Amino acid sequence: MKYLFPMTMAFLAICCTSVRGDTLLLSEPFPAGELKTELKNGARFQALPEGGWRFIPGNKPEKYVLTIPAEPKEFRFYNQLELEIDNPNDDARLEVIVDAVKPKHGDIGKRTLRLDKGTKKYQVHLGGVGQPVQLSQLRLTVLHTPEAKQEKDISVVEKPITVKSLLLNAKDYNFGAMRKSIPARLNSPLPDGFSAEAVKAAEAKRAELLPVAGKLMDQVKKSSLNRAEKEKRLARIYDLRDFGDWQVQYAAFCVDAATSPLYGWTGGADKILRDGAFPGAIGGTVKVSLARNETEAAQIALYSARDLNRVSVSVSEFRNEAGESFPADAITVTPVGYVKTTAPAYFSEYAPYALPDPLLGYLKEFDVEKERFQPVWLEFSASKTQAPGVYRGSVKFRGNGEELFSVPVEVTVHKFTLPDRMTFPAVVSSGIFNSPLYEEDAEARREFEAYMYDENGGDPSKLSPAAQRLVRINDELFRMLNDHRITYQDIYRSTRRVIPGWRRRNINRYNSLYCLGYDNDRNVMANFGKQFREMRKEGTAGRAYVYGNDEIRTSDKRAFANMKKSYGALKKAFPELKTMATALDYSFGEKTDTTEEVDIWVVPPGVYLNERAAAERARKRGKQVWYYPCNWPYPPDANLLLESRATATRLIIGFMPWKFKADGFLYYSAGMLARQVRTDSLLGKWEPAGDVETVTDAPWDFNSSYRLRTSGEPKRDYAALSRWTMLPKNPAKPLIAEFEVLPEKFTSGKGAAFTVEVRLNYLNGKTDRNFLEVDPEKKEWQKVRKEIKIAAPIRNMLYAFRLKSPDASVQIRNVKLYQEGEYSDRRLAADKLLSGGPVFDESYCYSMFRSNGDGTLFYPGPDGVLPSLRLKFLRDGLEDYEYLVLLRNAAGQVKDGRLRVADRDGWLKQAEELLKVDDAVCRGLSRYAKTGATLLEYREKIAGLLDQAQK
């Protein structure tokens, strides 16, 4: 799932349309670097002396790609690429793609041009105007497809095409929208609670700024202004577009925080930026509302004109008017951490900010930077027996050695109760957490894993201390996920390793579904046969599903045939078993003849919304249709990314699936813990052969240490560790190979040897075999380093350690292969635990395919995992969905007279309206409530009706 949709789809919707020829504000040539081409069949690209490029077609139909690298240069204001093209052909098409470094690997412009005959100018819209953008390259693909299936796709290029010029333009065609959006942002209401003097200062700033944008837009069109003056005015315009509301608020904060710190608060459905517009109220009483058997939170943010040091938080007793208490152990207060993000594959309103996400339970004291918000997450968990009513207490803050303030808090517990098991099926895959971050010793990790997969569960006290620690961390992780309404699921575990009975029974307590693994094993029938006998005895067989066929495409007929065969056999042998697939057949089996074999179809959210008619047909056949987000869709579409709004993450698993009638929700990973890393290493995961023991297992596989062993037994006299590596970036620089080796034991004999080879296979067919010398008779650690010159363009490279001996043992560590000063971007496992805070640099930004936060919903803390805000939003969304389930059930009982409410008809009318989910809350994947207040107010209306309907 994580490989879906690498392009910035939000941009494609706007990049394929023509743009108006409005006022030209700025223009400059595309900063072209040295030409790169992919040539086939005699085709040629030529750089012309007078500027531009000419394409000369080859001798057969083909796609030809011209890549023009961009010189490193950042810009903010260009929103159009203009191409002047001379085309002598009758039916020719040219695909134009503009790639960027920021956003990383993002297609900020894409359009397929149907070229007119003769010389003409064409425009491609560029996304992200007003945000810092750095181009990486321009790709021009000449399409020569005379036998296209549809006439509109025919492209015949038999004569040379000339691209005469490339220009980056800043046009004013977005000014019309900004003339409305900037005043709207500047007119955003101030948070409640400011003093009269602060409000006066803010209104003065608002009055000052409101006419500015319009004046600047008019001024920047004047040809009399030089380039520097135009860029200065444009920068001011876009700052008002992006930060105008904060500039107004900041004037008020400067007044009220001038003499002493202050606090603001909001609910659990907002993200509080450190230096952005505040979404809640200033001062006053914090209010939280929840049902029984529910958890809900508020956020209290400190703000100060000076730095605050060693801030601590304490919580008082909470009691209602009858003197009943809200238990202290059901209240937690946790500092919110902030992560600076890596450049994502998309533009985002949050691009300039560090983003709130890790909840730092280990941080008992923290500092607050001046003129920056620092929130704490205040959470209340009501039991099923908690007495309804309003509980009052306070939260006290101390800092700089003195009490800062005591914040009054009201907690309303409603009369109704949420169930233990959620109605809406939500699968968030986690698996067991066996990270080398907590234990590098490979033997301890193997011991832990054997325990976790024991059918009946062993005695943890008999494990080594290191393995016991891993068990404890996993127990805490499972408990944390369960507390957030998320049960253990492992959709990518091979079916060759069955889920043990003790975990099946544990999952069964909390969820209606659990995964038996990924369907990729030949012996799946035998494995399931043993497992199903036990499952039928314990009554869990009907809740099991098998996952597989991840994102296979309809063009791969063999893959669908295999799915039909495998799933068909499983369903025949085990009728209770559900089959689930993210196979990309958006007719849900109709196109691929798999309507009967798949029980649960899971598709991307955008596809689901576009294919609801096909989904309804599938439901009539007794099937379910779920949706899943992953690294896509990009903001502003709802997702679980760091740049997704809090409401978006809460809605995508809550009110959205209710409104759009999705049958379930799937997310591929809660603990991927991978991040984008700039590294010089060309190594990756090693491939062992023979007896290879992992001695210490580092987070990055190539940093681990290993032991190669041989013995006199038949076919046990050989062991090896090898890796086909990444290709070097700079052929002019030598490769550097390094490692350390300890020959613990070595027996000489015929052919006995320990060899280390770096092999370079060149594109010209030649090979360089470079051997690094080691003395296998020397029983001490040896450091080895060798520089290897590159003689020609490389096809591939191999790094290999080989041990051949009747009886030997050799340790290897600190293996490296790199070029001095040459770095590349790679995705690697997290290599360090969180400590300190509350602000963290980019090395703690976990990212998949440049989608920040994707696949990771918890963080590795100093002594165990830490929840994220996004995990909280998911839990709250599932509980929001349950509000609607309870209201639907109550409405049915009121209709048939089993429940009595005052003003029955009025109550039913309100319930029917609320069950539709108002468009103001969510209307589509990208159209939803942007502030938590809108969502929480709607939720409170549901709660009010449910309270009236309690017996």
Side-chain angles (χ1 to χ4, degrees):
M1 286 174 296
K2 46 198 177 296
Y3 303 109
L4 188 65
F5 299 117
M7 291 184 179
T8 309
M9 303 299 289
F11 300 151
L12 303 195
I14 60 174
C15 293
C16 297
T17 59
S18 298
V19 294
R20 302 191 310 275
D22 293 346
T23 305
L24 179 65
L25 308 176
L26 297 169
S27 185
E28 68 174 84
F30 182 89
E34 184 179 349
L35 182 69
K36 294 181 180 179
T37 60
E38 298 176 18
L39 303 177
K40 298 177 183 178
N41 307 314
R44 288 180 292 153
F45 280 115
Q46 295 178 335
L48 303 177
E50 64 274 19
W53 300 268
R54 177 172 293 133
F55 165 71
I56 300 171
N59 52 31
K60 63 179 287 190
E62 189 57 84
K63 287 185 179 181
Y64 298 95
V65 180
L66 167 65
T67 301
I68 306 172
E71 295 176 357
K73 181 178 181 180
E74 192 171 271
F75 65 85
R76 285 186 67 184
F77 310 122
Y78 295 121
N79 50 15
Q80 184 188 87
L81 174 71
E82 182 176 278
L83 307 91
E84 185 178 9
I85 299 174
D86 179 53
N87 168 49
N89 300 282
D90 293 320
D91 294 294
R93 290 186 300 129
L94 178 70
E95 182 184 71
V96 182
I97 298 177
V98 184
D99 291 328
V101 177
K102 292 166 55 179
K104 192 70 176 180
H105 309 310
D107 298 335
I108 66 167
K110 181 176 181 179
R111 186 181 174 196
T112 299
L113 306 174
R114 171 69 73 179
L115 302 180
D116 293 333
K117 203 168 185 179
T119 300
K120 184 180 175 180
K121 293 182 178 179
Y122 301 86
Q123 293 80 35
V124 177
H125 182 80
L126 304 180
V129 63
Q131 296 191 29
V133 173
Q134 184 178 332
L135 298 178
S136 62
Q137 62 185 17
L138 171 66
R139 285 179 285 158
L140 304 177
T141 303
V142 180
L143 306 175
H144 186 41
T145 52
E147 298 180 1
K149 292 181 180 179
Q150 300 185 46
E151 188 175 347
K152 67 181 181 66
D153 294 326
I154 290 176
S155 181
V156 181
V157 181
E158 296 175 334
K159 300 175 183 178
I161 294 174
T162 303
V163 180
K164 302 180 76 172
S165 67
L166 293 169
L167 292 175
L168 292 171
N169 294 332
K171 292 289 189 78
D172 71 337
Y173 50 72
N174 58 334
F175 277 16
M178 286 199 295
R179 287 184 188 274
K180 296 179 181 179
S181 64
I182 291 176
R185 183 176 279 267
L186 289 170
N187 280 314
S188 298
L190 276 178
D192 293 337
F194 280 120
S195 69
E197 291 81 5
V199 171
K200 183 178 179 180
E203 293 305 330
K205 176 59 71 172
R206 197 194 310 271
E208 172 195 327
L209 295 178
L210 274 170
V212 170
K215 290 179 182 177
L216 291 171
M217 290 183 206
D218 292 336
Q219 291 172 6
V220 82
K221 291 185 179 183
K222 294 180 180 179
S223 57
S224 58
L225 285 179
N226 62 35
R227 182 182 192 87
E229 289 296 321
K230 285 189 176 184
E231 288 185 346
K232 183 178 178 180
R233 284 164 172 78
L234 284 170
R236 186 78 174 106
I237 290 168
Y238 289 115
D239 283 345
L240 288 171
R241 181 195 70 176
D242 297 335
F243 314 114
D245 50 353
W246 172 234
Q247 293 179 38
V248 173
Q249 283 191 18
Y250 179 69
F253 278 104
C254 284
V255 172
D256 277 359
T259 55
S260 62
L262 49 79
Y263 70 89
W265 69 275
T266 187
D270 286 304
K271 289 184 177 180
I272 300 174
L273 299 172
R274 298 183 72 231
D275 48 354
F278 189 73
I282 306 304
T285 300
V286 176
K287 296 185 178 181
V288 181
S289 170
L290 69 163
R292 296 191 289 182
N293 200 30
E294 185 186 14
T295 300
E296 190 66 26
Q299 298 174 79
I300 305 173
L302 281 68
Y303 185 90
S304 175
R306 67 186 194 281
D307 290 338
L308 300 176
N309 300 315
R310 300 188 65 180
V311 174
S312 61
V313 190
S314 60
V315 180
S316 74
E317 283 190 334
F318 276 75
R319 293 189 178 276
N320 62 14
E321 291 182 354
E324 297 166 306
S325 67
F326 200 105
D329 61 2
I331 306 171
T332 58
V333 58
T334 313
V336 175
Y338 286 80
V339 175
K340 294 178 180 178
T341 59
T342 52
Y346 41 81
F347 291 106
S348 163
E349 61 182 319
Y350 288 142
Y353 303 103
L355 296 178
D357 200 43
L359 289 170
L360 309 178
Y362 64 85
L363 208 58
K364 304 309 177 187
E365 293 183 337
F366 54 91
D367 295 338
V368 178
E369 187 179 348
K370 67 179 181 180
E371 298 187 338
R372 297 290 186 270
F373 294 105
Q374 176 54 55
V376 295
W377 182 264
L378 177 63
E379 190 167 85
F380 296 85
S381 297
S383 69
K384 286 185 272 190
T385 58
Q386 186 69 49
V390 178
Y391 295 80
R392 292 179 174 86
S394 62
V395 177
K396 292 183 180 181
F397 290 85
R398 290 185 58 85
N400 290 357
E402 60 185 11
E403 184 171 319
L404 300 175
F405 31 67
S406 179
V407 180
V409 181
E410 287 184 1
V411 182
T412 300
V413 178
H414 290 289
K415 298 176 183 177
F416 62 96
T417 305
L418 296 189
D420 288 332
R421 181 180 289 167
M422 296 289 95
T423 305
F424 183 59
V427 169
V428 179
S429 185
S430 57
I432 64 169
F433 189 53
N434 195 5
S435 172
L437 280 168
Y438 290 105
E439 184 51 61
E440 288 189 5
D441 187 283
E443 181 56 39
R445 293 180 62 202
R446 284 191 288 269
E447 183 186 5
F448 156 75
E449 193 155 303
Y451 165 83
M452 295 299 286
Y453 283 102
D454 183 86
E455 174 62 21
N456 298 309
D459 182 355
S461 67
K462 296 181 179 179
L463 302 177
S464 67
Q468 286 185 41
R469 181 168 182 255
L470 290 175
V471 170
R472 175 184 60 77
I473 289 170
N474 271 264
D475 287 346
E476 291 172 357
L477 171 61
F478 297 155
R479 188 159 48 249
M480 182 184 78
L481 293 175
N482 284 336
D483 289 345
H484 291 80
R485 308 284 190 176
I486 292 169
T487 59
Y488 173 88
Q489 305 280 343
D490 192 0
I491 63 175
Y492 288 111
R493 185 194 74 256
S494 170
T495 52
R496 73 175 61 93
R497 172 173 267 179
V498 300
I499 183 170
W502 67 272
R503 281 223 304 280
R504 287 198 309 270
R505 294 184 284 275
N506 184 52
I507 294 167
N508 188 50
R509 293 166 50 202
Y510 296 96
N511 202 301
S512 57
L513 288 171
Y514 62 92
C515 185
L516 294 185
Y518 192 93
D519 179 25
N520 64 352
D521 182 46
R522 294 178 182 177
N523 300 316
V524 62
M525 299 294 285
N527 289 342
F528 279 11
K530 300 173 186 175
Q531 200 166 5
F532 260 79
R533 283 195 294 272
E534 296 302 317
M535 288 160 54
R536 284 165 178 156
K537 291 178 185 176
E538 66 195 18
T540 61
R543 296 193 176 101
Y545 68 94
V546 63
Y547 177 76
N549 302 283
D550 193 359
E551 291 182 354
I552 59 174
R553 299 183 179 273
T554 52
S555 58
D556 190 346
K557 295 182 179 179
R558 182 177 179 181
F560 274 89
N562 289 338
M563 180 175 76
K564 183 179 179 69
K565 179 180 179 181
S566 175
Y567 277 8
L570 284 169
K571 289 179 68 62
K572 184 177 180 180
F574 313 108
E576 310 98 321
L577 180 67
K578 303 288 190 301
T579 55
M580 178 190 289
T582 50
L584 305 182
D585 176 359
Y586 299 152
S587 68
F588 310 115
E590 293 172 353
K591 290 181 181 178
T592 56
D593 189 29
T594 52
T595 54
E596 297 304 313
E597 286 74 21
V598 180
D599 297 309
I600 303 172
W601 292 89
V602 196
V603 296
V607 171
Y608 176 82
L609 291 178
N610 290 331
E611 303 294 342
R612 279 183 278 179
E616 283 305 310
R617 293 196 301 273
R619 290 188 183 104
K620 288 179 180 177
R621 297 192 293 268
K623 308 302 180 181
Q624 294 183 23
V625 183
W626 297 17
Y627 63 56
Y628 71 95
C630 51
N631 64 294
W632 182 89
Y634 297 146
D637 283 5
N639 203 335
L640 283 63
L641 305 177
L642 284 177
E643 292 88 357
S644 299
R645 281 185 174 261
T647 49
T649 300
R650 186 162 172 165
L651 284 166
I652 198 171
I653 202 170
F655 289 156
M656 276 187 183
W658 176 277
K659 180 163 185 169
F660 305 133
K661 299 180 173 60
D663 296 315
F665 173 93
L666 176 70
Y667 193 62
Y668 74 97
S669 173
M672 186 61 66
L673 286 175
R675 63 186 181 89
Q676 307 298 139
V677 174
R678 189 169 179 262
T679 177
D680 60 359
S681 178
L682 298 173
L683 295 173
K685 188 175 180 63
W686 292 102
E687 296 179 7
D691 187 355
V692 177
E693 175 194 358
T694 304
V695 179
T696 60
D697 199 352
W700 300 354
D701 179 79
F702 50 82
N703 287 344
S704 301
S705 59
Y706 302 91
R707 178 179 284 111
L708 277 59
R709 286 183 294 218
T710 61
S711 72
E713 298 176 25
K715 300 181 180 179
R716 293 284 303 263
D717 63 347
Y718 177 79
L721 200 65
S722 63
R723 168 69 189 176
W724 290 99
T725 76
M726 306 283 288
L727 294 182
K729 293 188 68 175
N730 188 346
K733 286 188 175 181
L735 293 164
I736 300 173
E738 298 178 356
F739 62 91
E740 294 178 48
V741 60
L742 171 61
E744 298 173 316
K745 180 170 59 173
F746 186 80
T747 303
S748 301
K750 185 178 180 181
F754 176 67
T755 58
V756 183
E757 178 189 8
V758 178
R759 184 189 308 171
L760 280 58
N761 294 323
Y762 297 117
L763 289 173
N764 60 15
K766 294 184 179 180
T767 294
D768 275 349
R769 301 188 68 181
N770 301 274
F771 291 94
L772 285 72
E773 293 184 5
V774 174
D775 183 356
E777 305 288 349
K778 191 176 181 180
K779 305 295 189 291
E780 61 184 44
W781 281 107
Q782 302 170 43
K783 278 190 174 183
V784 181
R785 184 180 189 274
K786 183 172 184 176
E787 288 193 5
I788 301 169
K789 290 185 177 181
I790 301 173
I794 294 175
R795 184 176 78 250
N796 54 34
M797 300 193 310
L798 176 71
Y799 201 153
F801 297 83
R802 302 183 184 94
L803 176 63
K804 183 168 179 60
S805 171
D807 187 17
S809 175
V810 175
Q811 277 199 62
I812 305 166
R813 70 185 184 191
N814 295 332
V815 184
K816 298 179 182 179
L817 183 67
Y818 62 97
Q819 290 180 298
E820 195 76 52
E822 298 294 331
Y823 294 87
S824 59
D825 235 13
R826 294 173 62 189
R827 191 178 69 250
L828 298 169
D831 63 332
K832 55 185 176 180
L833 304 173
L834 264 69
S835 63
V839 182
F840 300 91
D841 64 25
E842 294 88 343
S843 64
Y844 295 96
C845 179
Y846 306 119
S847 174
M848 293 291 287
F849 298 98
R850 286 293 174 186
S851 295
N852 291 323
D854 180 49
T856 299
L857 298 176
F858 57 80
Y859 288 78
D863 195 33
V865 295
L866 305 168
S868 67
L869 284 181
R870 291 170 297 128
L871 185 62
K872 303 290 183 182
F873 300 150
L874 287 182
R875 175 202 63 200
D876 295 342
L878 285 167
E879 292 175 342
D880 291 344
Y881 188 99
E882 211 61 38
Y883 273 48
L884 292 165
V885 172
L886 293 175
L887 182 60
R888 179 189 61 194
N889 296 344
Q893 294 178 39
V894 170
K895 279 182 183 179
D896 63 21
R898 285 179 289 160
L899 272 179
R900 293 181 181 275
V901 294
D903 185 15
R904 173 183 180 275
D905 291 343
W907 188 98
L908 282 172
K909 183 177 180 181
Q910 290 183 65
E912 288 169 3
E913 287 301 311
L914 288 171
L915 287 169
K916 294 176 184 177
V917 181
D918 193 278
D919 284 351
V921 176
C922 65
R923 187 175 180 180
L925 198 58
S926 61
R927 303 178 70 181
Y928 48 82
K930 299 299 190 289
T931 63
T934 303
L935 190 159
L936 295 177
E937 285 167 9
Y938 196 84
R939 181 176 176 275
E940 199 60 17
K941 290 177 183 178
I942 299 170
L945 290 186
L946 288 172
D947 275 346
Q948 294 175 42
Q950 299 308 298
K951 293 180 181 179

